[in-house]
């Protein structure tokens, strides 16, 4: 593993930069220096820990049948090794060349890899982090195939020129013995046979080597006599060759989809030619050619027919058919369809000896995006349940969150509901790849990873103890209607593909609340429940958001002046006529722009929700005057307050998910202006133009209401259409902030019964529409019934505010460029003059502004569900360079003040239990001292610490000038806190809190893919991760303690296992010489007999070796002790073996002495002729 040197930085580097800001403000607390910071540079070190997921761009595979370890090579030069569940290892070739073939030294703890850059490498697997012992780089020939016989140290290397070289795997030196292509083929052959595509020795005679050339020629080479015994010619190109275990037959697969079986002693023609997937003509002619059979394996059983497993060979007329693996057993042929193209496959057998009955029990199939194990021992060939976390990429990952040291109860809870989601029909046998041992790490805190996917699914992973296991899968797309065909695709989609893709996540492990933001401008709130329910109607809240300046440019489409409904004055009788009901609730006609329609349609049928996360509320942004809603850029949720806040380039909206109410909906310019509670208009930032002339009366307002209903109610699907202005403080608060869904039950302040009767009639007529539309009328009725004087006053204020705002060029420019980038719920001081702590919301923007929003929560659980939540913007508290990435709050001692939360309770329990469990919102409390909190703010360029409530910057630090920060988090580490940052130039940095001293700065990983920027996230206790490829998660640590303990935490690949005994030759085979013939390869290939190879042919490169790898991986006291213990164990084992050998030699000598003495006594008195 690559080690990183930490650049040590002096602790007082930022003292000069921070002292100026401190001195500039007389209100800065003098006791800031009292905060004791325990984190130092020596507490940090960066290194990779483990990699999870399916090996990206897999290219080759090998299996050790004794150690039961699977190795997979990739096109990027990576090696992934798998054992039992939880035993994984990742290593990388420095060159990055693709791995074309892997060969285990079976039960030796070593692996040979061959790469496309014509190099071979020997890996030592006896250490937890494998290292390269030797490398050999060929200079003049290209490697095409490798073969290492079982229990042999001589590796055969086939090349593109058709030659075969032999390498000693112990010393990684070339032998002088070379099989040249022109000697292997017949002298009469005029063409080159092509590259070597297969090498294998005869299972019964190690001195016979079978060589397959691409052109279709197969040669049986006698290693001792250095000549070809037999040559087998076929017209079609060869892809693979497989032996029968008795060594009398072999099978070749060809490019025309045929299999040829050859008898070793009959080279003239094949003993059998079959086309497994070819159509047999009736006239006896040759079958039609099929696709190439890329690989074939021939495995025998002691009790039944042999197995022949092959990939490819399908007929050309099977257009669109999925890739297949064919299993031929006796007279039956089974075709197993795969989801992805087959890269390679291996048949797992009981014995590693090629000259014995193979007894196959499973087939490992490596696909382009999956790994499948097929059980050959059960009828129907079921697959094994895969214990590895290889389904990360089941749908492309779009976002990722990491939670380390979270509450311990959440993992069992998620596992209990996720275990019900498992598929059925798997093989009942244990997973056959069962090698290795788990690590013995001491870190046992719970870790959870959340991944959001393009199909709208969310997966919860248990990431504790350097392992990864899926706990639970949530499908958010179930909430929406799906288009049945391509023609039925909704025309309102703002994305062409993956309309349900997850864009952002907000999860509270303590309360188990989940909030999801999607690319179709939708937000879904979920609660966790252990009980199954059926939701008849999914709660829906539609939000209308649009930039303010766009309304100045163009009037409202269709000629409807919606504000007249909201600014009506004196009362009058409504029209008596009832308009006809129209079936549409939004304008999506071809003759006008889309308006008030969401991008996705929430399902209207009942929704059965299994135990786990169940939908509480769906929030959707709607189209506005032909403009699609902007995607949500930031999302936050607080279970204690019962609020969800989300923002985009148009502004922000706050939703009360308990009352299903939109509380706050403002554009950026309104946020910058401080306001009193309930004094901002609780509506969309889009403020339609007011008509000229006098204020219309109630009659015209009711007339417009009737006309609006007649025209398909095209403006009413927006749940927060500005029905209640709140710029006048005299309007009762309960009338301003009621939910659209609760408006029908709220009291109406009008005394005019006829107006109320009219509203009731409208509600009856609109029952065929959604509940949201019907309740919008009720909310409108409250607005119409307010007094004319208040309305006139209010409209004058609104119009003046609109004119001043729209005439400001800077405001319009800010709105066109600025976007909400982050949120943080906290309990702090809303304003400088405040002395009481109360619930607040910090809002960060892409222009570096940090805005404080005050929250006023009703006291008590009962009142919280009845009274509205008050919200008011308190203006900007500070500005930073670059967009705001993260915000946090510290107390006066430097301890982190996490957002409050509500302890989890089952939402489907009794109402009494809900009320009893619901914790009332904290009441405002007084704090002693002038500044008792620190606000930690980090942007793309710098970090600042601001004293609260004085809002004085006491520390600041410039993180980068030439680049920008992609991800920043305030994390807990070593009992205290720090800021962790990942920059686009690849640097990972940490800063102390609150003084912002640089503690770590390592150039780790330059940004080469937006995937890394989208998925990189830090967590507590020095943990971080990112998606290193579309299918793999790379976990890293920046903690020195974790790096020191990494050796113990990692799993162990090699375990001492006895090699199975060789098959018994039997009496007759031993008597008549019919058994396997051995070969002294050392005598044949050694330097004494074969001579030295040409030095220019290949270059030997010594690797770091196992000892250097051990030293590099196990630094520190723990590693030294481990090495000393290993050395002592090895020394003791060697001494024990020496004692045993000495005792055996003494016993042998004694026995020999006794036999010699007996022989002397027997023959000493006999004459020579008596002998």
């Amino acid at each position: 593993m690559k080690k990183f040197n930490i650049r040590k930085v002096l602790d007082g580097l930022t003292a000069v930069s921070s002292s100026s800001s401190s001195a500039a403000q007389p209100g800065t607390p003098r006791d800031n220096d009292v905060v004791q910071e325990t984190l130092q540079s020596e507490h940090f070190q960066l290194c990779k820990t483990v990699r999870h997921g399916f090996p990206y761009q897999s290219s080759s595979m090998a299996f050790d049948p004794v150690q039961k370890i699977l190795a997979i090579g990739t096109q990027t030069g990576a090696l992934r090794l798998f054992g039992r569940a939880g035993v994984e290892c990742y290593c990388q070739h420095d060159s990055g060349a693709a791995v074309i073939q892997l060969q285990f030294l079976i039960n030796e703890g070593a692996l040979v890899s061959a790469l496309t850059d014509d190099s071979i490498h020997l890996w030592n697997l006896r250490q937890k982090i494998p290292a390269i012992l030797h490398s050999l780089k060929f200079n003049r020939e290209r490697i095409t195939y490798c073969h290492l016989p079982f229990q042999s140290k001589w590796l055969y290397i086939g090349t593109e020129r058709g030659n075969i070289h032999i390498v000693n795997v112990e010393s990684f030196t070339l032998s002088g013995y070379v099989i040249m292509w022109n000697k292997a083929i017949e002298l009469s052959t005029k063409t080159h046979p092509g590259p070597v595509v297969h090498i294998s020795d005869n299972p019964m005679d190690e001195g016979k080597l079978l060589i397959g050339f691409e052109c279709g020629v197969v040669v049986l080479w006698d290693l001792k006599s250095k000549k070809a015994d037999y040559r087998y010619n076929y017209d079609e190109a060869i892809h693979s060759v497989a032996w029968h275990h008795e060594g009398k037959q072999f099978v070749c697969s060809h490019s025309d989809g045929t299999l040829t079986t050859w008898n070793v002693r009959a080279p003239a023609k094949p003993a059998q030619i079959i086309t497994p997937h070819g159509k047999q003509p009736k006239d006896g002619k040759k079958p039609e050619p099929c696709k190439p059979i890329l690989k074939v394996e021939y495995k025998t059983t002691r009790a039944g027919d042999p197995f022949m497993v092959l990939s490819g060979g399908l007929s050309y007329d099977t257009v669109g058919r999925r890739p297949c693996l064919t299993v031929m057993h006796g007279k039956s042929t089974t075709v197993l369809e795969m989801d992805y193209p087959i890269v390679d496959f291996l048949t797992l057998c009981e014995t590693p000896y090629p000259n014995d009955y193979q007894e196959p029990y499973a087939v490992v199939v490596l696909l382009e995006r999956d790994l499948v194990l097929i059980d050959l021992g059960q009828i129907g060939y079921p697959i094994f349940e895969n214990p590895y976390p290889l389904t990360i990429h089941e749908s492309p990952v779009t976002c990722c969150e990491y939670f380390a040291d979270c509450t311990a109860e959440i993992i069992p809870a998620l596992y209990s509901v996720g275990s019900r989601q498992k598929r059925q029909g798997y093989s009942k046998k244990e997973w056959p790849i069962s090698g290795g041992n788990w690590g013995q790490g001491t870190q046992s805190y719970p870790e959870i990873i959340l991944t959001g996917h393009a199909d709208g699914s969310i997966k919860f992973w248990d990431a504790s103890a350097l392992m990864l296991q899926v706990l639970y899968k949530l499908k958010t797309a179930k909430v929406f209607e799906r288009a049945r065909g391509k023609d039925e695709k909704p025309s309102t989609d703002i994305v062409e593909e993956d309309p349900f893709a997850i864009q952002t996540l907000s999860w509270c492990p303590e309360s188990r609340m989940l909030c999801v933001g999607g690319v179709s401008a939708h937000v879904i709130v979920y609660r966790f429940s252990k009980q199954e329910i059926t939701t008849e109607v999914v709660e829906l809240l539609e939000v209308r958001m649009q930039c303010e300046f766009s309304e100045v440019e163009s009037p409202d489409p269709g000629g409807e002046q919606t504000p007249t409904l909201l600014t009506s004055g004196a009362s009058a009788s409504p029209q008596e006529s009832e308009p006809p009901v129209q079936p549409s609730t939004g304008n999506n006609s071809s003759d006008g722009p889309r308006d008030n329609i969401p991008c996705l349609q929430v399902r209207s049928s009942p929704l059965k929700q299994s135990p786990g996360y169940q939908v509480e509320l769906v929030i959707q942004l709607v189209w506005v005057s032909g403009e699609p809603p902007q995607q949500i850029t930031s999302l936050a949720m607080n279970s204690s307050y019962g609020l969800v806040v989300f923002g985009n380039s148009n502004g922000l909206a706050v939703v009360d998910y308990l009352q299903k109410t939109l509380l706050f909906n403002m554009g950026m310019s309104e946020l910058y202006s401080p306001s009193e509670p309930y004094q901002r208009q609780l509506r969309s930032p889009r403020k339609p133009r007011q008509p000229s002339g006098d204020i219309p009366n109630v009659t015209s307002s009711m007339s417009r209401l009737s006309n609006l209903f007649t025209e398909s109610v095209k403006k009413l699907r927006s749940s927060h259409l500005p029905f209640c202005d709140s710029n006048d403080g005299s309007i009762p608060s309960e009338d301003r902030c009621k939910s659209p869904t609760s408006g029908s039950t709220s009291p109406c302040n009008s005394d005019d019964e006829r107006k109320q009767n009219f509203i009731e009639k409208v509600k009856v007529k609109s029952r065929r529409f959604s509940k949201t539309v019907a309740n919008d009328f009720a909310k409108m009725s409250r607005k119409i019934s307010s007094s004319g004087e208040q309305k006139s006053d209010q409209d004058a204020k609104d119009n003046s505010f609109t004119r001043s705002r729209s005439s400001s060029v800077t405001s319009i420019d800010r709105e066109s460029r600025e976007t909400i980038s982050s949120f943080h719920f906290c309990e702090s001081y809303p304003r400088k003059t405040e002395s009481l702590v109360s619930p607040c919301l910090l809002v960060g923007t892409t222009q570096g502004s940090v805005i404080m929003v005050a929250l006023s929560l009703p006291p008590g659980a009962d009142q919280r569900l009845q009274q509205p939540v008050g919200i008011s913007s308190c203006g900007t508290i500070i500005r930073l360079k670059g967009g705001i990435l993260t915000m946090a709050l510290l107390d006066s001692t430097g301890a982190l003040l996490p957002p409050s939360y509500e302890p989890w309770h089952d939402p489907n329990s009794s109402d009494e239990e809900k009320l009893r469990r619901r914790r009332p919102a904290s009441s405002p409390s007084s704090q002693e001292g002038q500044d008792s909190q620190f606000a930690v703010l980090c942007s793309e360029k710098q970090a600042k610490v601001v004293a609260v409530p004085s809002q004085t910057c006491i520390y600041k630090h410039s993180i980068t000038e030439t680049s920008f920060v992609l991800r920043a988090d305030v994390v807990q580490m070593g009992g205290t806190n720090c800021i962790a940052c990942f920059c686009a130039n690849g640097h990972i940095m940490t800063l102390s809190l609150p003084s912002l001293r640089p503690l770590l700065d390592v150039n780790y990983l330059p940004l080469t893919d937006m995937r890394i920027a989208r998925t990189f996230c830090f967590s507590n206790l020095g943990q971080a991760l990112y998606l290193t490829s579309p299918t793999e998660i790379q976990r890293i640590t920046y903690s020195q303690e974790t790096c020191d303990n990494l050796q113990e935490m990692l799993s162990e690949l090699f375990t001492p296992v006895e090699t199975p005994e060789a098959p018994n030759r039997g009496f007759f085979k031993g008597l008549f010489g019919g058994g396997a013939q051995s070969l002294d390869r050392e005598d044949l290939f050694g330097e004494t007999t074969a001579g030295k190879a040409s030095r220019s042919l290949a270059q030997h490169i010594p690797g770091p070796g196992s000892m250097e790898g051990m030293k590099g991986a196990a630094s520190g006291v723990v590693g030294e002790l481990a090495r000393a213990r290993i050395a002592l164990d090895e020394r003791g084992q060697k001494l024990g073996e020496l004692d045993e050998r000495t005792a055996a030699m003494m016993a042998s000598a004694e026995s020999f002495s006794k036999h010699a003495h007996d022989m002397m006594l027997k023959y000493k008195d006999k004459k020579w002729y008596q002998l």
Side-chain angles (χ1 to χ4, degrees), residues 505-526:
L505 294 168
S506 178
W507 185 53
C508 177
E510 291 79 10
S511 64
R512 305 183 189 178
M513 291 293 298
L514 174 66
C515 196
V516 179
V519 295
S520 295
H522 64 275
V523 175
I524 310 177
V525 182
Y526 286 93

Side-chain angles (χ1 to χ4, degrees), residues 73-74 76-79 90-99 101-102 111-115 117 119-123 132 135:
T74 72
T76 58
L79 282 182
Y90 160 78
C91 39
Q92 175 73 44
H93 293 91
D94 292 336
S95 65
V99 180
Q101 198 172 352
L102 296 172
L111 176 73
V112 174
S113 58
L115 276 59
D117 63 351
S119 63
I120 56 174
H121 308 269
L122 178 65
W123 290 86
I132 294 179
S135 297

Side-chain angles (χ1 to χ4, degrees), residues 481-535:
E481 299 283 1
R482 286 182 177 270
R484 297 182 180 179
K486 294 183 178 179
D487 298 336
E488 299 180 30
K489 186 175 180 180
S491 59
T492 56
D493 284 359
I494 57 177
V495 288
E496 294 183 359
E497 296 181 355
D498 302 323
F500 310 111
I502 308 299
Q503 192 166 14
T504 180
L505 294 168
S506 178
W507 185 53
C508 177
E510 291 79 10
S511 64
R512 305 183 189 178
M513 291 293 298
L514 174 66
C515 196
V516 179
V519 295
S520 295
H522 64 275
V523 175
I524 310 177
V525 182
Y526 286 93
R527 285 185 183 272
F528 186 85
S529 175
K530 294 182 178 180
Q531 303 177 23
E532 182 178 306
I533 63 170
T534 299
T535 304

Side-chain angles (χ1 to χ4, degrees), residues 402-419:
Y402 190 11
F403 299 85
D405 198 20
C406 53
T407 176
E409 297 82 11
I410 188 65
I411 290 181
L414 289 170
Y415 181 80
S416 64
V417 296
S419 59

